[in-house]
Amino acid sequence: MMILNIFVMGMIILNSCFPGSQSLNPACHLPTGRSGTCVPISQCIYMQNLIANLQKPLPSDVSLFIRESFFCGSEKGIVSVCCPLDGLGNRLGDVPSMPDKNECKFQGHLEASCVKYSQCLPFAHLIGNLKKPILPAVGSIVRSAYMCGFNDDIGHVVPKVCCPSEGFIAREVMSMANDGNVENTEEDPEPVPTKLGDLKDHPGREFLANEYSCGISLVINRKESSGASSIGQYPWLVLLGYPELGSKNVAYKCGGTLIGSRYVITSAECVSRNKPSVVRVGEHNQATVKDCGQDICSDELQDIKVEQVIIHHRYKDKKPQTNNIALLKLSSDIKENDFVSPICLNFEEDNNENKQTDTAGWQLRLNQNRKRPSSLQFSEVNITAPDNCPSIRAIISQSAKNKNLCIASLNDQDLCLSDSGGGLMRNSPSHFGEQWYLM
């Protein structure tokens, strides 16, 4: 509360220096042009989280940047901010509707541009001032308020943010600051990998999801540890469809995980004997044509033909416990939306065992005829030592144990809900919110 009070006092002082913003306007726009609503800070959950995540004392330039980004008025000494609609929590209610604007502009009609995040000095200072760990809601408000696209003109995709014109650092100025050479306007050369075979710079990464926009779920700050998933909770989970003999119908018998616009990871046992003909993306409840819930409906399902199946070269049907992985290439790109988007792959060492880890699916199994749930189910799990799994001890060698994970349920939850071909997913907070990674 002390940080909140300091920030509010700072906003009131700043307000006295910037007259002309005293009347409240219920509908407002964030710097990205996305619509919001003007409410007191105490009613905007996202803003409260952002303030709580800032280090104190708050630098004057960061305070000014936040004011220009969100301040939309004051009344009787109470400061109001432009809050993203999903940042109101249970207070959403009957808020004013306003179409989004396709332009960058800060509060008070302050001119802005969409630039690479590294070229926006106040944004860099704001991110640098955040304490660790970064709260999930902070990533959400940063995406809503600032992210306006991506830049890939130099071979590396980086996010772009809405930046006040006065805070934008031109590339020529950056070159002068770096080496003092005004005439040097050439792009920096490609970085040389520090380790031989470093996967961070592998050419195949261009086929994977964008590292800044992958793994985004519509569900954040989840309270439940298991049960029926919400629509858009795992937009990267897909179904593998197999042609039925003597029929034009398709039977869905395995699952998979979308890792790029045309690539799906699944298990080798799902594709070694019978090849899937189609991949269905955007599914939630197999019993309904259109999925709706909690005032939201998903987009239409997408069925995309499988163009190529790539199985791990060391996989053997007689020993499916090792190298049981395969890659599917789709015949065309997916149409990405809130309900269809790829998960991230982690290219860095991850030793944090306290992160949220989930398994999810429709209980799809090869050669299994028992009744399955029609709606996507999930369960949070713990990763434990391989020696704690009797099934692993009995069937694989000691050397292979190091390549396998043993998972344990929380509170005796059912682990059979995952699909053949499905994977473990781990949640990792980032500057841009919660992001999920395939393990």
Side-chain angles (χ1 to χ4, degrees):
M1 286 301 295
M2 183 177 295
I3 297 177
L4 177 60
N5 292 336
I6 293 173
F7 179 77
V8 171
M9 290 298 294
M11 295 285 269
I12 293 174
I13 295 172
L14 283 170
N15 183 43
S16 65
C17 300
F18 293 86
S21 298
Q22 301 301 314
S23 61
L24 293 181
N25 180 13
C28 59
H29 284 101
L30 296 162
T32 54
R34 296 183 178 94
S35 61
T37 185
C38 189
V39 297
I41 292 179
S42 60
Q43 296 182 20
C44 185
I45 298 174
Y46 283 3
M47 180 58 69
Q48 292 180 42
N49 278 263
L50 176 61
I51 294 169
N53 234 160
L54 290 168
Q55 303 179 49
K56 59 178 183 178
L58 198 63
S60 58
D61 61 336
V62 174
S63 178
L64 180 60
F65 184 56
I66 293 176
R67 181 199 181 280
E68 293 173 340
S69 302
F70 302 103
F71 180 81
C72 56
S74 65
E75 190 173 271
K76 297 180 181 180
I78 299 177
V79 173
S80 292
V81 294
C82 189
C83 184
L85 298 182
D86 55 351
L88 296 172
N90 296 329
R91 304 184 183 92
L92 183 56
D94 185 21
V95 299
S97 60
M98 179 181 286
D100 294 343
K101 292 182 178 179
N102 189 26
E103 63 174 345
C104 289
K105 190 162 288 188
F106 281 64
Q107 305 304 321
H109 305 288
L110 182 66
E111 294 298 326
S113 302
C114 184
V115 302
K116 288 189 291 186
Y117 79 98
S118 58
Q119 293 179 296
C120 186
L121 194 60
F123 178 81
H125 287 174
L126 171 65
I127 296 299
N129 192 260
L130 293 173
K131 296 183 296 186
K132 306 295 189 298
I134 296 173
L135 301 174
V138 173
S140 296
I141 195 170
V142 167
R143 283 199 306 271
S144 297
Y146 299 113
M147 287 193 66
C148 54
F150 297 92
N151 186 307
D152 59 358
D153 60 349
I154 59 173
H156 295 281
V157 179
V158 296
K160 298 173 69 175
V161 298
C162 287
C163 185
S165 298
E166 295 180 354
F168 169 57
I169 308 175
R171 182 168 57 83
E172 290 79 4
V173 175
M174 295 181 69
S175 296
M176 291 173 61
N178 289 334
D179 57 23
N181 185 1
V182 180
E183 300 299 326
N184 181 16
T185 59
E186 295 182 0
E187 300 290 355
D188 294 332
E190 294 284 335
V192 178
T194 56
K195 296 180 180 180
L196 186 64
D198 189 351
L199 292 178
K200 283 187 175 183
D201 299 303
H202 193 282
R205 290 196 64 175
E206 66 176 292
F207 302 107
L208 300 179
N210 182 285
E211 62 180 305
Y212 298 104
S213 60
C214 61
I216 304 299
S217 169
L218 288 185
V219 177
I220 61 173
N221 296 327
R222 192 188 73 215
K223 300 293 190 297
E224 301 81 7
S225 60
S226 65
S229 69
S230 301
I231 296 176
Q233 186 167 342
Y234 305 105
W236 41 83
L237 294 184
V238 305
L239 300 173
L240 274 55
Y242 300 79
E244 293 186 329
L245 293 176
S247 171
K248 294 183 179 180
N249 296 332
V250 172
Y252 296 99
K253 300 179 181 180
C254 273
T257 309
L258 193 66
I259 60 170
S261 60
R262 291 185 67 176
Y263 288 92
V264 169
I265 282 185
T266 186
S267 65
E269 63 182 339
C270 282
V271 297
S272 62
R273 296 184 179 180
N274 297 315
K275 299 295 190 291
S277 60
V278 67
V279 166
R280 170 166 287 186
V281 299
E283 181 64 279
H284 177 74
N285 189 339
Q286 292 182 276
T288 59
V289 176
K290 193 174 185 65
D291 299 326
C292 295
Q294 298 181 349
D295 300 325
I296 187 173
C297 290
S298 64
D299 292 353
E300 292 184 2
L301 296 174
Q302 302 175 41
D303 290 333
I304 306 176
K305 293 182 179 180
V306 176
E307 178 179 305
Q308 186 179 6
V309 176
I310 306 169
I311 301 175
H312 194 288
H313 65 285
R314 291 185 177 177
Y315 171 75
K316 296 179 180 180
D317 285 326
K318 294 182 179 180
K319 296 182 178 180
Q321 295 81 20
T322 57
N323 304 315
N324 194 350
I325 189 171
L327 190 66
L328 304 182
K329 181 181 180 181
L330 307 181
S331 61
S332 60
D333 290 353
I334 60 165
K335 296 178 181 178
E336 191 168 340
N337 54 52
D338 287 339
F339 315 97
V340 177
S341 61
I343 197 171
C344 303
L345 294 183
N346 194 5
F347 292 93
E348 297 180 359
E349 192 71 24
D350 185 3
N351 296 319
N352 189 344
E353 297 181 357
N354 297 320
K355 293 179 180 178
Q356 189 178 63
T357 305
D358 286 0
T359 181
W362 293 267
Q363 295 189 14
L364 300 174
R365 293 285 190 278
L366 287 171
N367 305 319
Q368 179 176 286
N369 296 319
R370 74 169 183 166
K371 187 176 180 179
R372 303 188 302 261
S374 59
S375 183
L376 181 63
Q377 307 288 309
F378 78 95
S379 177
E380 186 174 350
V381 299
N382 282 330
I383 298 177
T384 184
D387 287 339
N388 294 331
C389 287
S391 59
I392 291 181
R393 290 202 309 266
I395 59 180
I396 63 177
S397 63
Q398 183 63 41
S399 61
K401 287 181 183 180
N402 298 328
K403 301 178 182 179
N404 287 266
L405 291 176
C406 176
I407 62 174
S409 64
L410 299 179
N411 304 321
D412 297 323
Q413 297 163 2
D414 183 12
L415 293 183
C416 294
L417 56 82
S418 60
D419 301 327
S420 292
L424 282 177
M425 304 166 287
R426 172 165 283 185
N427 189 349
S428 181
S430 71
H431 289 321
F432 303 104
E434 294 183 352
Q435 285 185 285
W436 287 85
Y437 291 80
L438 183 64
M439 296 185 66

